[in-house]
Every structure is written in C-alpha cells, then in structure tokens.
Amino acid sequence: MAGNSARHRARSAVGRWFRRWPRWLRRVVAVLVAVQVVTVLAAVVYVASVDLPADPAPPQASVLYYRDGRTVLARIGTTDRTDVRLDKVPLGVRQAFLAAEDRGFYDHHGVSVRGLLRAVWSNVVDDSGQGASTITQQYVRNAYLTQERTVGRKAKEAALALKAEHRFSKDEILERYLNTIYFGRGAYGIEAAAQAFFGTSVEHLSADQGAVLAAMVKDPTRGDPAVDPRWTLNRWKWILRAMSDAGWLPAGTADTTPYPAVARESVTASTVGGPIGLITDRVEEELAAAGVSRQQVRTGGLHVTTTLDPIVQQAATDTVATALQGQPAELRSALVAIDPADGGVRAYYGGDRGRGFYDDALAARPPASTFKPIVLAAAEEHDINYRSYYNGSSPRVFADRGGAPLYNLNNLQCPICPLDTAMVHSLNTPFYALTEQIGAKAVRDLAVRLGVPEKYDEQTTMVDLKGELAPGKTRADIAIGRYPVTPADLTSVYATLANGGERVNRHFVDSVAGLYRTKVRPVRAVDRGIAADVGAVLTGVVDHDGRVPGVPAAAKTGSQQYGNTADSSDAWTAGWASGLAAVTWVGRETPGPIRTKDGKAINGEGMPYTIFRDFLAAAFAGRQPTAILPPANVGGLSKGDLETLGADIKMAVPGRVFPGPQKGDQVDRSLAKGSWAERTDRLTGVLTKLADGGPDFAVSLVDRKSGRRYAFRGDRPFESASVVKVELLAALLLRAQDTGHGLTAAEKERARKMIVASDNDAASQIYSAIGGPDALRQALDRLGLKDTEPAANFGLTTTTAEDQTRMVGRLTATDSPLTQASRDQILSLMSSVNADQAWGISAATFSGEQTAQKNGWLARSTENNRWIINSTGRVSSDKVDVALSVLSHGHGGQQEGIRAVENVAALTRSYLGW
C-alpha cells in the first residue's frame, strides 16, 4: 500500500511539473508523442503486411538488343555459381566480410535504425542514394528486390530484413548472403569468387584473401584489383584494420601483411569477346549509374534495348578491321558514332579483345587539329566571321609558349589567310593567334558546353599539369589540340555541332523493359548559325581530302606530332553526315610513332580519314542522307592580326598557300663525292676557312651504321653551357641504379625540366643532389668521358666535341654503364625538347629522321658578351644513326651563333654524306 502511495505521489509530481510548461510546449510534446506512437504502429502494421517471398529464382542472363528491340547484340551475366555451407568458409574470411559490411551483424535484429534514418534523410534531402545496410538488408535486397534508390524500396528492404531474421538464424543469413553476393568477373557467390580471383576453393582461402573479396562487395567492377589496384589495396587495408579493431587480427596486421596475389583475369567467367565486349561493359556502367546494379544485370534476366544500330555497328567493325589488317601489331584504332538528334551511340569500337580490356575509345589523347573547329565556333561567338584574315606564316612565336616557335604542318605559309582556308590546310599559326585574341578560356568553356567533361577522374581537363608552363590554366595550345580528350567525348562535341548546336548526352541504353528508360534532354550549347558555319567550313576539308561516295559530309583531320620527328603519335578524323557524327582515331596504347606496314607515317588525312570515309559510305548504304546545312555567315569580317606581318609580305596574295623552308634545305647532298678520305679532306678545308674568318668551333661525328668517325678540332676544350645537362642526368640515373631505386617523382620532374625546357634551376638542384663536381667527375669516369672537367657552376664545365659524341655513344651502346631503361629515359627527353630548343644539329636532318639533342648558349661578360653556342645529340632513322656535336664560342649574338652552328652541322652532312 505504501508502494502504491509513493508511485501515486511521483506521478502527481510529474503531472504538476508537466502542467507548469507553457501550453504551446505541452501541445508540441503531445503531438510528437502521438506521431511517434502512430509511426511505430504504422511500422508494425507495414512489417506485418510484407511477406517474405519464397527462395529467389535462379539467376538468369540478361539479353542486350540492338535498337530495333529484336536483334540480339549480346547475352551477359551467365553466372558461375556454386553454393557452399557456411562451415566451409574459414572463420577469418567470414570475419573479413563482417568487418567490411556489418560488424554488429550478430547483435542486431536485421536493421540498423541509425543507418536506415541516415539513408532516408539522404534520399529525401539530397537524393544521394546512401545505403548503410546491414548484411541482412543486403541479402534481401539482392535476393528479392530491385536496386532502385527510393524511400519505398528502403522501407520494404527493412521489413523483409526483419522477416528474414525471424525465419532464419544468423548463420543461415550469412551463408545465404555469401552465396548470393556478386563479386565481378561473372562470379556469383563466394565459391565462384574464390576460383575466379585466386584459382582455389573457398575453404582454402586465408583471411587476407577473404579481405580482398570483401573489398569488392562495395563496387564489383572498380574493386577488381585488375581494374583499380590502388582503390582495392586501400579498401583491403581498411578492412584488415577493422578486423584488428574488432580483435580478430593482431594490431598492425594491415601494415605487415603482404597483399595477396590475384589472378589478372578470370578463367571461369563467361565473357563477351570482340568489339561487342566493350559495348557490354559500357552498357553495364551506364545502367549502374542509373541505379540498375551490375548484379541485377548479371542475374536478373533483363531485356535491355540499346541504341546500337546493327548496320552501322557492322560498318564500324568491318572498316576498322580492314584498315588494320596486315598492319603493325602495335597499331590500335577507335571509332565512335552518335546520332546527334538523340545522343544514342549507333556504333562503337574501342578494341577487339572483348570485355574488361583496355578501351581505346575512352583513353584520353591529344586531339590535335580536330579542336580547330571549336576555336572557330568560339571566334564566331566573339563576332569574328569564318572568312576573317589572320597571319598564317610559319614559324611564329607566341607569348604563352615560353619562347617556343610554332610551325604549320610541313611549314606551309599563308601570310594573309582566311580562317576557312586555314581550316582546310590545317594551319596552326592562324588558329593559335585567334585563340590568344579571344582567350583560351573561351575555347575551353565552349568545349565543355559541347561535350568535353570538366574532369577525367580527379584531373581537370584542358589545363596545364603540374610542371608545365601554366599549371591549372588553359593556354592557347588548346587551339592545336595539345590537351587530351577521349574519342568518345570528341564524338559528343561533333554530334553537338551536327545537331545545330544542341547537345544531347551520349548514351548506350534506350530502355530496360519494365524498369528504366533513358530520357533525352537537349541543351543549347552554341548558336544554330554558328554550328552551320562550322559545318560549311568543314565540308571544304572533305572536298580537299576526298569526298565520301554518295554522302555529303563535314570533317576535320588532325595529327599529333611525336616529339620533334616527322611521325605522329595520334591521328584523327572527326566529322558528320546528316544523322550520324563519327570520330576515328589511330595510335598506340602507349605513345610512339605510328607507321604503316610499309614504314610510312600515319597522319589524320591518311588511315583515320580512310576509315571515316569508308565507314560513312557503308553506314549510309541504301539510304539518302540530306545535305550539310548552308552557312549562316555569323559575325563580321576582320583583318585579325595582320598587323604582325612584316612589311615585305603585307602585299601577299590573300588566301595563297605555299610551302616554306623544309628540313634538310641547308644540306647539299651533291657535295658528298669521292671516297671517305676525299670527302673528309674537302670538309676539313671548308671548315678551316670558316674558322679562320670567324668564331672558333669544333665538330665531332660518329656514324654507328658505318663505324666511320670525323673530328675537326674535336679535342679542343669549350665551355659546355647547357649541353652538360645530359651528363648531369646520366650521373643522377647512375646513382639511382647503384641504390636500386628509381627516380622520385620530384627528380623525374626536375630531369624533364632540365632537358626538355633547359631549366637551369632544375639543373642546379640535380647538380647539388648528385654531390657536385666530385660526384660528376666520378660519373664521367664511369662513362669514359676523360676530356670533360666539372666546375662549381655546371655551365662553366669544360668539354670537347669528341667527349660529347662519346656521351651520345653511351646512350646507344649495350655495354654502357647506364641500363637500357636509363638510356631510353635520357633519349626520350632529348627527343622531346621544346621547339625553342630544337635548333642546332637538327639543321643536318631530313624529314623522317628523329633528333635527340641538347643545346646550350651563354653570353660571356668577360668576352664583351660574346656568345657560346653548342649543340649535341643523335640523328637517327631506319637508315641513319649518327652522333654529332658542334661546340663554338665568340659569336656576336645568339641568333648569329645559332645560324653559324647550323651551317657547320649542315656542311658536315653535305660533304660527308652520312
């Protein structure tokens, strides 16, 4: 009785305390309590109303159809699955999954309330699709539900999870989960995954191998170590740390356990081969981004209608195969074709190796002159008509190129050049000048509007990278296509222009029966008249390079120069006909010179244009495409930058295009007569007269093909200036070899700056890093350079022309103290010097030959500012392999000295005829 009285007094006290609250506050609390009660009751009723279905049906492959909805494109998802009992899964492997996905699995009742509320909030507020699911929730979602990211699906998932917890034990749920989860590589369930990734059964997996598989649950494609090894490694370490935190592994295991060896590709997974394989990869990615999971695609028996056209796809596959047949094995190609009106991909070729392989259509490459139409469109947005005149002479020096002169292809000249003429002949200098006038940012902004993404992964597109002239900024180099884009994205750009300036996002999927349909939303990117003008100008390119039989077309070719050679590393054609925009690319997986089986350089107007032309002809066979839109003549005519022309050429004929000086023009091959002794005698006589009447110089030549040598005052010492930077890099690499470590990222960047841009600050840092003069002397001894004497200031080091050719010899000899990798690294940098560093011995080269060189200059105040001018390096081709060095001093000016050195180099080849 006393107890009841006490409870009554307590309730009375609470009541009095509650009544002292303001009336509004009491009402708010009452409403909240009522809402909570109603919510709980509603949740109970909802859970009771949801029935747990019978065990799910076996997985079924999905069928991908061409756009007609009837013709089968591919079947994907025929899964490899073998169920195993939980007691066959080692404890450590089970714990890896618990650590990765649900550490409280054995403590909750199937649903994480906090995770559920967070997921609901994320979906309602920011539509992020956040999960935070327990293992039980993941199991019921994979077994019974779709992957749509909605509040309704999340609520049903939670209800089914509670029902599953009531029907099955925790171990049964974990067993079902491990047998139904998708791991990638066609592996459905942990036994199939163990075989696909480790080539063993699940019972033989170690805990650290289990952690690799657990890492893949979050993203079965990116989680594959063969796809993104860094991502997988980071998540694997996180899982091991989580296992240590849970007491399942010793502390520090993540830092001491070696990463398990994983098979590069699955031998058990059913795959799709050939060009169609990459299309299925792209379809899966697109569906995953739309909320249809990869597991659902692989196991759900979906009916997927793609945007691919069977005739157009066959045309793409056939034309690429024909073009590459019998060509060098390293040649690769990509072709993407899009319907401009709806953004649907009608044909796609990224390679022929099948699913999961490297996709050349998604690899970013320098697009070269195919970016010039974007510059023209941006100019018309600034009221500059396509017939405006610009200075198309070559070479020209522009402010944002660090002094490097810019050349037109084949050094073509067009002093008073209409922009449409400059486009047809693919002249660089007018479009570079135009871009400087309107601003490189305007061109980049338009490229993004037309279809180039803002970023590739985490890297901003179309800007200088760290270590380049303007990191994070866009220079006018965008006009000549120096910044990489993918063939697929370039196709989107041209499709937007073909569609009258309206952009429709590129896509592969039209619909998934009963589940998803792509929505087409055109966005105005550029004025319709501007797009028409660009198309009209590009029809002139087609007229110039060869018309497509029966198909009115607009196109632009482009070739990315490889180093300072006559070769290209990437060759393109981009354009459109009515209803189809297409881009073709030819190159290599890693940059290098691209040549046909006959040894001829491949440029944009060659193989890529042939593929483009033949593809359009086949794609439109039996159809009559409409004509390209006529020009709208947007903008006013202007004289551009003609004020930059010299007085002697201001009267040039407008629009006249003619060849300028070519490589090898200074060499007179007719002088190479008689025996080697007779030729060397004549050359020595000429050089002696030249030296007697002017600055002092020395020459050394070693012909590796014939074994012949020549030297004129080759043992006379000269100050090295910047040519000694080759020896500095060699010394740095020798040190790296001795320690067994490669160069650090910072050292690689300094080396690139030192050689490619002749950066003195970088050279000083490297000189200090190797240990200064004494360390350089030791490296020179190893290299066999006995005439080179290091100085405290690297540029004051003395050397001889013969020592310089010896240094080049160490870069090509198999018995060199430098490894093959070190030799290749030095020669690659010497072959890639900036254009303002490419003078000197290059005057003794012809088209088709490559120069790997290092030049140097220095004005000596102690000699009345007389100039030291040096040039050294290697000239090579299939028929030529020469080390050549010219050292000199006493010149009255820099350009005067450069001309003198180039004359000596050209005379050497003229008389010796190597």
Side-chain angles (χ1 to χ4, degrees), residues 190-206 209:
I190 194 167
E191 172 64 21
Q195 295 287 351
F197 289 91
F198 296 106
T200 187
S201 62
V202 66
E203 56 193 305
H204 296 124
L205 289 179
S206 63
Q209 289 174 319

Side-chain angles (χ1 to χ4, degrees), residues 734 773-783 790:
L734 285 173
D774 291 340
L776 180 57
R777 176 71 271 164
Q778 294 174 16
L780 293 172
D781 288 342
R782 293 172 65 181
L783 293 165

Side-chain angles (χ1 to χ4, degrees), residues 185 219-232 264 285 356:
R185 297 190 180 183
D219 189 333
T221 297
R222 189 177 185 185
D224 188 330
V227 175
D228 194 339
R230 178 173 294 182
W231 186 93
T232 311
R264 288 186 57 83
E285 288 176 356

Side-chain angles (χ1 to χ4, degrees), residues 573-593:
T573 296
W576 69 86
S578 64
L580 202 63
V583 166
T584 61
W585 166 87
V586 174
R588 295 165 56 161
E589 190 165 331
T590 56

Side-chain angles (χ1 to χ4, degrees), residues 114-290:
R114 183 173 60 182
L116 179 62
L117 292 176
R118 184 166 65 248
V120 170
W121 176 264
S122 298
N123 279 280
V124 171
V125 175
D126 59 16
D127 193 29
S128 69
Q130 186 171 334
S133 298
T134 66
I135 279 179
T136 310
Q137 288 174 269
Q138 290 183 52
Y139 164 65
V140 298
R141 179 173 69 240
N142 292 329
Y144 306 118
L145 300 173
T146 69
Q147 302 293 318
E148 60 178 337
R149 290 177 285 185
T150 64
V151 174
R153 197 274 292 157
K154 197 70 181 176
K156 191 170 184 180
E157 174 189 300
L160 289 174
L162 293 172
K163 288 294 186 71
E165 290 271 345
H166 180 71
R167 178 182 296 182
F168 306 117
S169 70
K170 284 288 187 179
D171 282 353
E172 287 176 317
I173 292 172
L174 183 58
E175 177 182 297
R176 286 167 171 262
Y177 169 78
L178 292 175
N179 282 319
T180 56
I181 200 72
Y182 180 64
F183 289 89
R185 297 190 180 183
Y188 188 74
I190 194 167
E191 172 64 21
Q195 295 287 351
F197 289 91
F198 296 106
T200 187
S201 62
V202 66
E203 56 193 305
H204 296 124
L205 289 179
S206 63
D208 53 295
Q209 289 174 319
V212 174
L213 297 181
M216 297 177 197
V217 174
K218 187 177 183 67
D219 189 333
T221 297
R222 189 177 185 185
D224 188 330
V227 175
D228 194 339
R230 178 173 294 182
W231 186 93
T232 311
L233 176 63
N234 289 338
R235 183 154 178 83
W236 176 77
K237 287 186 174 181
W238 177 85
I239 292 171
L240 292 186
R241 292 190 184 102
M243 294 175 73
S244 295
D245 293 342
W248 297 330
L249 288 177
T253 298
D255 300 316
T256 59
T257 303
Y259 187 75
V262 179
R264 288 186 57 83
E265 58 186 79
S266 172
V267 296
T268 63
S270 174
T271 187
V272 182
I276 300 300
L278 292 178
I279 294 174
T280 62
D281 284 343
R282 304 292 79 80
V283 168
E284 261 198 39
E285 288 176 356
E286 189 172 308
L287 289 175

Side-chain angles (χ1 to χ4, degrees), residues 61 85 104 124 187 191 277 315 406 440 481 510 541 562 586 736 752-753 789:
R85 298 196 313 271
V124 171
E191 172 64 21
L406 180 65
D510 177 75
V541 176
Y562 178 63
V586 174
R752 189 195 67 79
K753 286 183 178 180
E789 294 297 332

